[in-house]
Amino acid sequence: MTTVPPSLGRTLCAMITPFTSSGALDLDGAQRLADHLVTQGCDGLVLSGTTGESPTTTDAEKRSLIAAVREAVGTRATLVAGVGTPDTAHTAALAREAEEAGADALLVVAPYYSRPPQDAIEAYFRETADATGLPVVLYDIPARTGVRVEADTVLRLAEHPRVVAVKDCSNDFLAAQKVMARTDLAYYAGCDEHNLALYAVGGAGCVSTVANVAPSAVCSVLDAFDKADTAEATRLQQRLTPLIEAMMAGGLPGTVTAKALLPALGLPSGPVRPPLRPADPRTTAALRETYDLLTEVSSTPARR
């Protein structure tokens, strides 16, 4: 059985940020969605990550979102606040504000666009970790940032007492296993197609965008693995694959596809903020068809 760090949780949802029809922050909707996700099995919520449209929400909105969700879920789930920016000083300021607003931990993405060298990336993470008393999750997603957080950099950062975890979207399983073998860092799959694979080699869980619309299905994969039923865990992960592909590999960001599905499920969503644009009707219908198929398959007894 995989050991789960109790401070962060196992099945974390990279929660979308609901907006009203006019595009304003919908705190009531955020509270209702957060409560639903936790009730359905998520033991952690990542707020103001990329899926939460952090590039287009203000610092004040980020603070308000943390406070509102904390009020809604209490201690039933950990709240991990996304604070990473291209600016070290701004990232540190957001970290302090997240701590004051009630976050349990920080998700810090590598500084994007400027593509700094590894020693500068390391300094950025260290300065952010020194800014508060909260645990820090390093976020490695080179497809978006333009730069890797190399394994040797992660190994050095693991020596910092508040650097406790990694959200891994590097698509580099060898590097992940190298770090896991040499440190106590908790590794979280940041790509839903890797949830089971990383968990099976010692990962701590996942930070899932698909969990916005299928939280219990995402949880069930890791539940089965924890019960040592690897065949069932494999079946459940494969069952999710069409939805993962539709939401994450169809050319649209997961934010857009999640927000296309949520209204049909009776859950808060609202529009995306520009420069993102909503899914068109054809894409939305295809997403719903794939989701409905998952629901249909979920109700069919497994053949053993």
Side-chain angles (χ1 to χ4, degrees):
M1 180 184 297
T2 300
T3 301
V4 181
S7 60
L8 294 181
R10 185 199 65 176
T11 311
L12 286 71
C13 178
M15 197 177 96
I16 62 105
T17 300
F19 299 130
T20 66
S21 58
S22 64
L25 182 63
D26 181 4
L27 292 178
D28 177 69
Q31 290 184 318
R32 288 188 287 121
L33 178 59
D35 179 73
H36 166 79
L37 294 171
V38 173
T39 300
Q40 292 296 309
C42 295
D43 54 2
L45 302 173
V46 173
L47 306 177
S48 297
T50 309
T51 303
E53 298 181 72
S54 58
T56 53
T57 55
T58 67
D59 293 2
E61 287 175 327
K62 291 177 173 66
R63 289 194 302 271
S64 297
L65 182 65
I66 295 167
V69 173
R70 171 58 72 206
E71 181 181 3
V73 305
T75 59
R76 293 181 293 150
T78 56
L79 300 187
V80 182
V83 299
T85 77
D87 175 3
T88 301
H90 188 197
T91 299
L94 284 175
R96 289 187 288 269
E97 292 180 4
E99 184 176 39
E100 292 171 2
D104 297 302
L106 307 171
L107 177 70
V108 186
V109 72
Y112 44 90
Y113 189 75
S114 56
R115 301 183 67 182
Q118 291 297 303
D119 61 339
I121 292 171
E122 181 179 346
Y124 159 88
F125 281 121
R126 287 187 180 278
E127 289 182 42
T128 303
D130 288 339
T132 78
L134 295 181
V136 168
V137 182
L138 309 177
Y139 185 9
D140 186 18
I141 182 167
R144 288 184 182 271
T145 62
V147 65
R148 277 295 309 272
V149 186
E150 299 290 350
D152 288 344
T153 303
V154 178
L155 288 171
R156 291 191 297 272
L157 286 166
E159 299 171 0
H160 193 289
R162 283 185 293 282
V163 174
V164 301
V166 176
K167 179 185 176 185
D168 183 33
C169 289
S170 68
N171 291 315
D172 188 344
F173 268 46
L174 180 58
Q177 290 176 74
K178 172 182 174 180
V179 175
M180 285 191 288
R182 295 173 58 183
T183 73
D184 293 326
L185 292 177
Y187 256 73
Y188 288 86
C191 302
D192 278 276
E193 62 270 27
H194 297 162
N195 290 354
L196 178 58
L198 190 61
Y199 200 56
V201 295
C206 62
V207 177
S208 169
T209 295
V210 173
N212 279 283
V213 301
S216 60
V218 172
C219 291
S220 68
V221 175
L222 305 189
D223 287 342
F225 190 86
D226 282 344
K227 295 174 183 175
D229 192 343
T230 55
E232 177 67 357
T234 300
R235 185 188 74 84
L236 293 171
Q237 179 70 31
Q238 291 176 348
R239 185 190 74 180
L240 263 173
T241 298
L243 183 62
I244 294 170
E245 182 177 18
M247 289 185 65
M248 308 305 295
L252 292 175
T255 307
V256 173
T257 55
K259 283 195 166 185
L261 273 170
L262 285 166
L265 308 181
L267 293 169
S269 171
V272 292
R273 283 183 174 173
L276 295 180
R277 300 183 67 182
D280 60 44
R282 177 179 293 182
T283 300
T284 300
L287 285 164
R288 183 56 193 266
E289 182 178 350
T290 304
Y291 177 85
D292 288 345
L293 180 60
L294 169 67
T295 304
E296 178 182 328
V297 171
S298 300
S299 63
T300 302
R303 290 179 293 179
R304 305 300 292 271

